[in-house]
Structures are given as structure tokens and as C-alpha cells.
Amino acid sequence: MEWSNYSKAIFDHYLSKTGNIMVKACPGSGKTTNIKHLWTLDDKPTVYLVFNKANQLEAQSKMPYKSDSAILTLNGLGHRALLREFGSVLDDRKVLKIIDRDIHFPTYDRHKADHKWALCRAVQQAKSYALDSVLTPGEYADMVDTYDLETYEGMEGHVNRVLEISDNNLDTVDFDDQIRIPALYRCTFAPYANVLCDEVQDFSPIQALLVSRLQADRYVFVGDSHQSIYGFRGAMTGSMDYLSAQFHCTELPLSITYRCAKNLVKEAAAIYPGIEAFHSAPEGTVRYVQCPDYGDPTTALQLRSIMGTMGIRANHDAMVVCRMNRPLIQLAYALLAQDIPCYVRGRDIGQNLIRLITKQEATSIAELRTKLDTWYFEELALAQAKCNDRKIITLEDKHTSLALFMNQCLPSDSPSAVIQKVTALFEQGKGLCLSTIHKAKGLEAEQCTILEHGLYPRMVQRSSQVWQKEQEHNCQYVAITRGKTSLTYM
């Protein structure tokens, strides 16, 4: 293989110098191929830490065998240590069980169920955020503000109580504990000489602490700060800068994208300069089309015309991405009505909507509509009181998305019919892939359409914090760089 000058510089530094490396890799730069080559440059025990299980299975199928080495997720790394030292049993309901057993809400509190879920989410966030079992008042306030957490009177004490009980209960662990407990308790890990870490722009504080516990001879971190879009889930703002400083890294770029055509690279570079097109990449096309009016009787003709303009067929290598769920669901039902197969990517998104439906305890569609309206207006009032514009947008998205599903059902149907509609649309299926930006990260297609692209400036405007505004720009950057040869704004 003919390596770029950027790749050669990384390999030369790895072979000829000591110290840790931070590789700043743009989308489609072949970072996995570069990591695979680093894996083969010596015979020292090496661990390659990947983002999720799918990445792990893919890497395991491509990486050559290497003695005393492993390809793991961060959770997998921590789980091995937990089994070895404590024999812990996995229990995803650990936090909820602690809340039910040890936290007592007043019986007259009609918001008790809401407070329980708010507390559960806050504790889960604290497990990624807190480097101790007790949050100081300042740390608690910063966490609540940073992640827009729902609060209630007395929640700070409840968070610290549940967190402390959870940290001291080593018999059972949940998904977050697989990383948290080995990091806090300094568990013993296999003696790896090299650590290769991917997607480090999305590291949380506790993940960074876990990796530092490995005490390897050399770390190579790979990521792209411009693809950092998981701040809402606990990822550090400026994760790469933090890791680079903590591990005293030499920073090296990997700036050529082999994925995107030249005109698509120009679109991405308008947001973040520095990404470069491969010299022999095609020119590619960037176009704008009008979003269909779903209330218009000629919508069917509009859709088929748009699909033809974009060159999209149901079985073609194409995807549609959007910042929010509602436009995707609306488009999906319009396409299905025209016998154009499609699905919305993100089973967990569907599960979140189903939990909201179940929480209403309705017995009919009519009652479900009423209860969801009540929930929406109550939550909207709270968000407006806090001037939380991003929360307002999220509430609108959930409310209108569920209305779209209910509109597919008969008034006489039970809420279970809505749940079936949600489940069916979010199941991985055949046809055109429709995806939110967060679910599309890591994917690519010959033709990418950005649906309702006007949402991005609106989200930036509605963001109250600097890191939120930055991540909205990152979302747009990620969306543009999913396409290979064609980009359509709709």
C-alpha cells in the first residue's frame, strides 16, 4: 500500500521515538487501516480499545493474530478486571434497585415517578462524570448545568447517597460500573506494552481514568475533535486536548479523506478547514432540493421526483440523515405509503419513545393523546421557566414524533398498537436508511441527503453553552462527511 506523508510520519515517529501520540484523523482518513499497521510494527503485547461491540467484531475480523494482545471495548476491558478481582454479576437495574430500596419520596408527591427517573439519569451521568463517590456542591451544580439534568428539591443528597451505595456494592455492577469500578479501585489489568485507543474525542472523565490505570509503555490515541457530538451523554468537552496534555502526547495529523468527493470536502472545509480531498477523488455533486409538503395531495409525485433527482432507489447505497427524529418519521411514512421500503436507524430511540408511552398508563389512543399533551405542556412550562431552549426543541420532537405514530392507528386501537408502530419503524430493516446524525456517525453511503438542513442554525441559536454550540457545528460536519460522491440538502 502507498501510504500518505501523514501516515508515514506517524509510523516513523512510532518506530524511531518514544512517548505517546495523538493522531488527529479526519472523517474517512483510513484511521482503522493506520491502526492495523501500527498493530503490526512490533511484537509487544498490545490492546486496541474500540468504541462499541460492532467496531470490536469488525476489528477482530481484520487484525492479524498477535500474541498476548486483545481487541476490546472499554467496557470489555473493565469487565475482565471486575471478573478477575471481584467476580461481580452484571445487573442493568442496579441503580433503580438502590433507589427503590434506599430513597424514600413523600407518598403525597404526585411527581414521585418523574423524580425517580430524574434521579436515575443523574446517577448514571455522575458515574461517567465523577472521579469520587461524593460530588461536591460545585461539581453537582456543574454536572446539572452541563448536561441539562432535571432536578427536584433534595436531589443532590439523593445522588450522592445512591452513588456512594453503588460504588461500594461490588457484588453487582451495571454497564457504567464496568468502567467506573475498575478505574476507582485501581484493578489489575493484563500487562500491555502498547495501548491503541480509537474515537477518543468521545471519552468521558472516568474512561480517561480507566485507560490511565493500564500504565502501558506507550499510548496512541486516535480521534477527531470535530466529530465530538456525544457531550449530552457524558463525553468531555475538549477530550482530545485533555488526553494530549495528561499523557504528554506528540500530536500528528491524518488529514486526507479517502471517502468524500472533492465538492463534498469543500462543504466540510467551510465548517472546519483542514480536511483534504484525495488527489484522485471524483468531483462529486452538491445539490439543493425542496422538502416535500406532506399536506399537499401531490406529495407522492413530489417524493418520487425528489428520489429521482437524488438518484436514490430503495436498494441503492444511500442514506438520509437529520438532526431530529420527527422529520425522519414523517418522511418514512410518506415513503412507505408509496411502497418505497425504508427504516429509521436507532432501536434505542424507539425504546425511549415506548417508555414514554408506557409511562402514561393509558388504556386507549384518545387517553394516550390527552396524557401525552398533559406531559408535554407540563415539561414545556418547566423548560420555558428555565429558558432551556434546547430542552424545548427536544420536547417538541418527542411530542410530534409520537403524534405521527398515533396518526397511523385507529382511534379505537389500544396504546399497544402505537408501540407496535414504533417498534416496526425502528427495527433494522431493508430499504433506504433514515438516521439521526448521532446514529449515522461511523456510517457512509455513496449518496447522502441531509433532511431539513435548516435545523442546524436553529439548534446553534437555541444552545446556551459554548460546548453545545460547538457540537451542533460538529453535527453538521458529521452529516456532510457521511456522503462519498453526492450530497443533497433537502
Side-chain angles (χ1 to χ4, degrees), residues 323 450-460 476 489-490:
R323 178 62 182 83
I450 301 178
L451 180 61
E452 292 198 18
H453 61 95
L455 284 169
Y456 294 98
R458 182 185 175 203
M459 290 301 293
V460 172
Q476 189 173 7
Y489 293 100
M490 185 161 74

Side-chain angles (χ1 to χ4, degrees), residues 141-184:
D142 182 62
M143 182 182 76
V144 167
D145 182 55
T146 300
Y147 301 113
D148 292 330
L149 298 177
E150 297 292 337
T151 61
Y152 58 84
E153 187 177 353
M155 191 171 91
E156 180 181 348
H158 287 169
V159 169
N160 279 330
R161 178 164 172 75
V162 175
L163 185 63
E164 187 171 19
I165 292 171
S166 179
D167 284 349
N168 285 294
N169 177 7
L170 303 180
D171 293 331
T172 60
V173 295
D174 58 18
F175 188 75
D176 299 308
D177 285 339
Q178 289 181 325
I179 294 173
R180 180 172 179 80
I181 298 300
L184 293 184

Side-chain angles (χ1 to χ4, degrees), residues 159-385:
V159 169
N160 279 330
R161 178 164 172 75
V162 175
L163 185 63
E164 187 171 19
I165 292 171
S166 179
D167 284 349
N168 285 294
N169 177 7
L170 303 180
D171 293 331
T172 60
V173 295
D174 58 18
F175 188 75
D176 299 308
D177 285 339
Q178 289 181 325
I179 294 173
R180 180 172 179 80
I181 298 300
L184 293 184
Y185 281 82
R186 297 177 178 271
C187 287
T188 303
F189 297 93
Y192 298 114
N194 302 320
V195 178
L196 309 177
C197 293
D198 198 6
E199 302 286 357
V200 298
Q201 76 276 355
D202 296 320
F203 266 32
S204 69
I206 205 71
Q207 288 174 327
L209 181 62
L210 176 71
V211 169
S212 72
R213 299 299 194 213
L214 289 168
Q215 298 183 331
D217 297 333
R218 163 172 270 170
Y219 291 85
V220 178
F221 300 105
V222 183
D224 181 2
S225 59
H226 302 323
Q227 294 189 76
S228 175
I229 58 175
Y230 290 114
F232 70 94
R233 207 168 64 184
M236 284 186 287
T237 303
S239 168
M240 292 179 68
D241 291 337
Y242 173 83
L243 290 167
S244 190
Q246 287 292 110
F247 289 83
H248 307 289
C249 294
T250 297
E251 298 183 355
L252 297 170
L254 198 59
S255 302
I256 298 174
T257 177
Y258 300 94
R259 173 193 300 160
C260 303
K262 291 176 181 176
N263 283 324
L264 277 66
V265 172
K266 289 179 182 178
E267 292 290 304
I271 301 173
Y272 290 121
I275 184 171
E276 302 173 21
F278 185 48
H279 63 84
S280 61
E283 290 299 316
T285 57
V286 177
R287 58 171 70 91
Y288 289 79
V289 300
Q290 185 67 37
C291 194
D293 179 0
Y294 297 104
D296 191 310
T298 64
T299 295
L301 293 175
Q302 292 180 47
L303 276 173
R304 292 201 174 275
S305 174
I306 289 169
M307 298 285 279
T309 300
M310 294 186 293
I312 291 176
R313 301 183 302 277
N315 61 348
H316 197 68
D317 184 11
M319 67 188 306
V320 177
V321 298
C322 185
R323 178 62 182 83
M324 307 299 286
N325 288 300
R326 186 269 309 160
L328 294 171
I329 296 168
Q330 197 168 23
L331 176 62
Y333 277 121
L335 292 172
L336 291 171
Q338 299 305 311
D339 296 321
I340 301 172
C342 64
Y343 67 95
V344 180
R345 181 179 171 85
R347 189 173 299 176
D348 57 331
I349 297 173
Q351 290 300 316
N352 286 334
L353 293 175
I354 289 170
R355 276 194 289 271
L356 183 54
I357 294 169
T358 305
K359 186 177 167 184
Q360 307 312 309
E361 298 181 344
T363 57
S364 66
I365 296 289
E367 186 182 8
L368 179 61
R369 284 186 187 276
T370 301
K371 288 193 169 185
L372 283 172
D373 285 346
T374 301
W375 162 83
Y376 171 65
F377 288 114
E378 286 182 353
E379 292 295 317
L380 184 63
L382 291 172
Q384 289 172 335

Side-chain angles (χ1 to χ4, degrees), residues 37-66:
H37 189 67
L38 288 172
W39 174 273
T40 64
L41 289 181
D42 62 35
D43 57 0
K44 296 177 182 178
T46 302
V47 62
Y48 175 23
L49 299 174
V50 298
F51 186 64
N52 56 33
K53 190 69 176 179
N55 296 140
Q56 180 187 17
L57 294 174
E58 182 182 6
Q60 286 174 338
S61 69
K62 294 179 178 178
M63 295 293 207
Y65 171 78
K66 190 172 183 180

Side-chain angles (χ1 to χ4, degrees), residues 1 4 7 24-34 198-199 222-224 227 254-261 265 268 275-278 281 441-445 477-478 480-484:
M1 179 173 179
S4 71
S7 295
K24 296 185 172 183
C26 76
S29 58
K31 60 177 183 175
T32 303
T33 305
N34 281 263
D198 198 6
E199 302 286 357
V222 183
D224 181 2
Q227 294 189 76
L254 198 59
S255 302
I256 298 174
T257 177
Y258 300 94
R259 173 193 300 160
C260 303
V265 172
I275 184 171
E276 302 173 21
F278 185 48
K441 189 171 176 294
L443 302 181
E444 61 181 31
Y477 182 79
V478 168
I480 291 169
T481 54
R482 297 311 92 197
K484 295 181 183 179

